[in-house]
Amino acid sequence: MADESGRTRGLLSVVYGNTPEMRGRALEILLRAAPRAIVLSVSLRAADGGGRGESGGHGEDHESGGRGGNGGHGQGHESGGRPTVQRFISGGGAHERWARGATGIPSVILRQDLLELSRAERAPHVVLSLPEHIDVTPFLADVWRPPLGSTPLASRYELAPVVAALDVDRFLADLRCVHQAVPVWGDADRPAPLTLAEAAARQAEGAGVLITGGAPPETAGRHAGVQALLGHLNPSATVLGDGVDAAELTAAVTPGGRALPADPADRLDPLAGSSVCRRGVHHGVSSVLWRARRPLHPERLAEALHRVLPGVVRGRGHLWLAGRPDTIVVWRSAGGHVELAEAGRWLARDDAEAWRRASPERRTLAAWFWDDHYGERRNEIVFTGGGLDQDRIRTGLDAALLDDGELALGAAEWARFPDPLFGTRPGR
């Protein structure tokens, strides 16, 4: 496909896995469909030695060497504690192989590598192979987002759906683990700690194509259950077994097909995509969508958690909390661990700049749900798990909503409500 200037763009594929073996398996399967693709393998290591430094798959984890480059950032003590980014190029027929090590901002370094590859070869197909513990959506959005005055990657590449390969046993074990933190790379210079359960859920939710490892006959039922769970966690993804053939994968990763991704930055919008809910029960797995158009009392919400969370493997959405009437509060739960975080402000009718920055999906949803007094404010969470009692979940959350008398008090009085969830009130 050509851009507005007539330049023929290349194709950027992204692969990762929840183990090095599965990451390599994802890359192997994709290269069956695109044998002449150039592979850019990546490993990341925090400056303090923390984080995970696995290679991004194809090839070995190389020390600094080959043609150097540091993404425009100094090394050693001048780097300000920035991480080491190892890259290894292979594939692409006669394309020159190289290994590089650099210290700097990972997104800047990888963006420069990708632009260099697009200049060296006309319309290349590059496969970006990422290390194990990565929050792929914000990471990819940071790579894809052009700094002011620089060449955007979107002018050089189309973005194919992200491909992830998951080891079923590892995935299930991680989803149960809420007491161990793991450093995960996202859109910051350093990895952020997440529970293993949260990291596993984000791995499943960040891909457009999910490939599960092969299952022996004695575990076929569990394997089918995990595939059903993945289908609920990521309803827009194509879920494939390990026996996928090249033709099937080619159809899944070609832009314009079923799994065409949005701009990665659009997926970071706190209100975009949260209402996607797969209907029905599949191998015992189901999802429940809860919505409400009035604010939640923070104290009653905290008291309702023990009734809402049993059986819930994953919860994602956003809240309208009475004590924070102008702030979007994001809900993420994995296992029994709940994370609530402030994530921007609700759109105001006359804030043209905020509307422009919002994703197309966010603007569409805001127009659809708009209330003349409260605007786009609403609660919306999707819960996924096995044997969920949807009446218990909805009843528990409905009881935490403000009643008519509380609603009539107005925002100034809502700010006086006790808030055990955040512990403080805005402005105090």
Side-chain angles (χ1 to χ4, degrees), residues 175 225 228-230 232-233 277-278 280-289 308-316 333 335 382-390 392-393:
L175 271 180
L229 176 60
L230 292 172
H232 279 268
L233 293 178
C277 179
R278 187 176 181 185
V281 180
H282 308 86
H283 294 275
V285 179
S286 63
S287 293
V288 176
L289 171 62
V308 170
L309 290 177
V312 173
V313 172
R314 179 62 162 165
R316 287 189 67 192
S333 64
V382 175
F383 298 96
T384 296
L388 294 183
D389 185 336
Q390 61 177 335
R392 187 192 69 233
I393 291 173

Side-chain angles (χ1 to χ4, degrees), residues 37 94 114 119 167 245 259 308 320 419:
L114 291 167
R119 291 190 292 266
D167 177 272
D245 59 39
V308 170
W320 173 15
D419 187 352

Side-chain angles (χ1 to χ4, degrees), residues 185-198:
W185 295 94
D187 59 355
D189 288 4
R190 296 174 179 80
L194 298 176
T195 66
L196 274 174
E198 179 66 30

Side-chain angles (χ1 to χ4, degrees), residues 11 27 63 66 94 106 147 173 188 204 218 223 233 238 243 293 348 359 382 395:
L11 182 65
L27 185 57
E63 297 298 325
E218 62 272 18
H223 191 272
L233 293 178
T238 301
R293 293 306 307 269
S359 68
V382 175
T395 300

Side-chain angles (χ1 to χ4, degrees), residues 46-79:
D48 60 0
R52 301 293 288 266
E54 302 94 334
S55 169
H58 203 64
E60 301 174 356
D61 191 8
H62 289 258
E63 297 298 325
S64 300
R67 292 181 297 171
N70 64 5
H73 299 277
Q75 299 195 24
H77 68 279
E78 297 177 356
S79 69

Side-chain angles (χ1 to χ4, degrees), residues 87-424:
R87 297 100 71 218
F88 178 62
I89 282 285
S90 61
H95 193 279
E96 179 187 358
R97 294 171 176 255
W98 49 254
R100 295 178 178 176
T103 301
I105 300 174
S107 60
V108 173
I109 294 170
L110 295 180
R111 190 184 305 114
Q112 289 182 349
D113 285 344
L114 291 167
L115 289 173
E116 179 181 337
L117 289 170
S118 74
R119 291 190 292 266
E121 183 169 327
R122 184 174 181 271
H125 182 182
V126 178
V127 179
L128 179 61
S129 180
L130 294 174
E132 179 181 344
H133 287 300
I134 197 135
D135 191 359
V136 70
T137 300
F139 187 85
L140 186 57
D142 212 33
V143 172
W144 198 251
R145 182 186 300 121
L148 186 64
S150 68
T151 302
L153 283 182
S155 70
R156 302 296 180 88
Y157 294 94
E158 289 184 87
L159 183 61
V162 176
V163 179
L166 303 179
D167 177 272
V168 167
D169 291 334
R170 169 72 175 272
F171 179 66
L172 287 177
D174 287 351
L175 271 180
R176 299 187 186 103
C177 185
V178 297
H179 302 296
Q180 181 179 345
V182 62
V184 175
W185 295 94
D187 59 355
D189 288 4
R190 296 174 179 80
L194 298 176
T195 66
L196 274 174
E198 179 66 30
R202 294 193 192 189
Q203 283 183 324
E205 293 161 351
V209 178
L210 289 163
I211 301 171
T212 57
E218 62 272 18
T219 63
R222 180 174 58 177
H223 191 272
V226 172
Q227 286 192 310
L229 176 60
L230 292 172
H232 279 268
L233 293 178
N234 192 346
S236 61
T238 301
V239 182
L240 302 171
D242 192 53
V244 57
D245 59 39
E248 187 177 18
L249 184 61
T250 299
V253 302
T254 302
R258 173 186 171 190
L260 178 68
D263 184 310
D266 288 348
R267 299 187 63 192
L268 298 176
D269 194 310
L271 271 68
S274 62
S275 62
V276 178
C277 179
R278 187 176 181 185
R279 299 182 180 276
V281 180
H282 308 86
H283 294 275
V285 179
S286 63
S287 293
V288 176
L289 171 62
W290 175 74
R291 282 177 174 153
R293 293 306 307 269
R294 59 174 63 196
L296 285 155
H297 191 294
E299 188 172 44
R300 291 205 297 272
L301 176 59
E303 293 169 352
L305 294 181
H306 75 279
R307 297 191 297 273
V308 170
L309 290 177
V312 173
V313 172
R314 179 62 162 165
R316 287 189 67 192
H318 53 83
L319 305 177
W320 173 15
L321 283 183
R324 286 166 165 72
D326 296 325
T327 303
I328 302 166
V329 175
V330 170
W331 168 299
R332 285 195 183 100
S333 64
H337 182 267
V338 179
E339 174 192 350
L340 299 179
E342 297 181 329
R345 299 173 70 83
W346 301 102
L347 293 174
R349 186 190 299 276
D350 57 353
D351 191 344
E353 178 60 22
W355 282 85
R356 186 192 65 78
R357 292 195 307 267
S359 68
E361 182 182 356
R362 166 86 175 275
R363 293 194 295 267
T364 299
L365 289 170
W368 180 266
F369 287 105
W370 195 263
D371 178 88
D372 286 341
H373 185 68
Y374 292 117
E376 65 169 343
R377 291 172 177 82
R378 66 190 187 278
N379 302 288
E380 197 168 88
I381 309 175
V382 175
F383 298 96
T384 296
L388 294 183
D389 185 336
Q390 61 177 335
D391 290 335
R392 187 192 69 233
I393 291 173
R394 291 194 173 110
T395 300
L397 291 171
D398 287 346
L401 296 169
L402 299 193
D403 60 31
D404 291 344
E406 292 168 328
L407 190 65
L409 294 174
E413 289 300 316
W414 300 346
R416 299 177 181 274
F417 294 160
D419 187 352
L421 298 170
F422 284 91
T424 58

